[in-house]
Amino acid sequence: MAESRTYPHGVPSWIETEQPDPGAARTFYGELFGWAYEDRPGGYTIARLGGREVAGLIEAGRQPGGEGAGWNTYISVDDADGTVKRVRDTGGRILAEPQEVGPAGRSALCVDPLGARFGLWQPGMRLGVQATNEPGAWNFGNLHTPDPQRSTAFYSTVFGWSLDDVGFATMIRVPGYGDHLASTTDPDIHERQSGVGVPPGFADAVGWLVPGEQGQPAHWHVVFTVADRDASVEIVERSGGTVLSSDKSEWSRTAVVRDPWGAEFTVSQFAPESNG
């Protein structure tokens, strides 16, 4: 059996979508990403890809601070209570105090000083997302903020992040995460990422900081890996969703989309030689 994926303190480890029509949302994301579902007590649904946990789904309005459909990002912590104190001391707010989620773990909901909502996850039996960086699975969590300097100060203090300007973007790193992956689920990560064009420290990357447009509220945005961006966009549109924008870079072909109920996310195809 493959080793379970674990997440050190400060690494985003879980995502969930809040939906006004959970049944219809299950159909939408199942068709788009190939997910199957397992119902858990309390109205929570676990999405699985190839039998591995990949996301959560919950009815909109059951989480504090939610406003209709959306995606939530949770950050792994060693001590939820201690991290909540640091969030408060650094200018953030707490929407839901740490609470036990049965044997799965311990969670809390917070808001950073710019207004971006995020969760804390102290793992118990649920270690975090087990399928990542493959078609149908979570790729990265991106922090959109109108004040990058203020956001950097907050998250660096609370979680020990390093934020590096790599020219085309600002990379969020948890120092030592690459070594953790190399010693657990990804022994070849350093060799694989030693090529030309890979930013130094990329093995430690856990997301990207994106400067927001003036007036745009701060928020966390999820990115999913897909095998074919255009095929995924076709499914989104056929299923009642909307394509907001598309882009291509040296490494990927992406599209920002909105599901039929208003939750926005990005689909990303790794395509270093398919940008023509």
Side-chain angles (χ1 to χ4, degrees):
M1 179 180 291
E3 185 170 358
S4 296
R5 179 178 290 271
T6 57
Y7 296 85
H9 178 87
V11 178
S13 63
W14 187 253
I15 53 173
E16 72 183 11
T17 182
E18 298 179 68
Q19 293 288 340
D21 188 340
R26 286 165 64 137
T27 299
F28 174 86
Y29 286 99
E31 182 177 359
L32 179 60
F33 294 136
W35 291 354
Y37 301 96
E38 176 186 354
D39 292 326
R40 294 290 179 87
Y44 202 79
T45 297
I46 299 295
R48 293 182 179 273
L49 180 68
R52 295 160 296 164
E53 295 188 349
V54 71
L57 189 151
I58 191 169
E59 186 176 3
R62 300 189 63 172
Q63 295 281 44
E67 298 180 0
W71 279 94
N72 299 323
T73 297
Y74 287 76
I75 299 167
S76 183
V77 295
D78 296 331
D79 177 2
D81 295 273
T83 305
V84 158
K85 184 178 185 305
R86 284 197 296 277
V87 168
R88 282 197 175 99
D89 291 346
T90 315
R93 296 185 291 113
I94 308 304
L95 295 175
E97 296 288 343
Q99 60 182 342
E100 300 294 333
V101 188
R106 190 165 170 80
S107 71
L109 281 173
C110 311
V111 178
D112 74 18
L114 278 299
R117 189 170 62 135
F118 64 96
L120 307 178
W121 182 251
Q122 181 181 332
M125 293 183 64
R126 182 177 304 139
L127 303 175
V129 167
Q130 293 300 299
T132 63
N133 304 318
E134 63 182 83
W138 186 26
N139 173 235
F140 269 126
N142 296 337
L143 173 61
H144 292 244
T145 172
D147 191 337
Q149 185 174 2
R150 191 176 175 193
S151 292
T152 296
F154 173 80
Y155 287 98
S156 297
T157 300
V158 174
F159 296 114
W161 289 356
S162 292
L163 289 95
D164 302 336
D165 184 349
V166 295
F168 60 89
T170 298
M171 181 170 61
I172 301 170
R173 292 191 304 112
V174 172
Y177 183 46
D179 292 337
H180 171 82
L181 291 172
S183 66
T184 54
T185 58
D186 194 352
D188 300 323
I189 186 170
H190 290 303
E191 291 77 10
R192 193 174 64 252
Q193 295 184 0
S194 62
V196 175
V198 178
F202 188 65
D204 294 336
V206 299
W208 301 92
L209 186 147
V210 181
E213 297 179 2
Q214 192 66 29
Q216 181 189 49
H219 64 280
W220 279 90
H221 182 89
V222 295
V223 180
F224 293 97
T225 300
V226 294
D228 185 321
R229 179 198 66 179
D230 295 338
S232 298
V233 160
E234 182 180 337
I235 293 172
V236 167
E237 293 183 316
R238 185 173 69 241
S239 301
T242 305
V243 178
L244 302 178
S245 65
S246 61
D247 199 4
K248 61 184 179 181
S249 72
E250 181 182 357
W251 298 102
S252 63
R253 294 162 56 87
T254 63
V256 179
V257 302
R258 180 185 293 138
D259 75 17
W261 306 276
E264 296 181 7
F265 57 96
T266 292
V267 293
S268 177
Q269 174 190 352
F270 180 63
E273 298 178 354
S274 303
N275 293 315

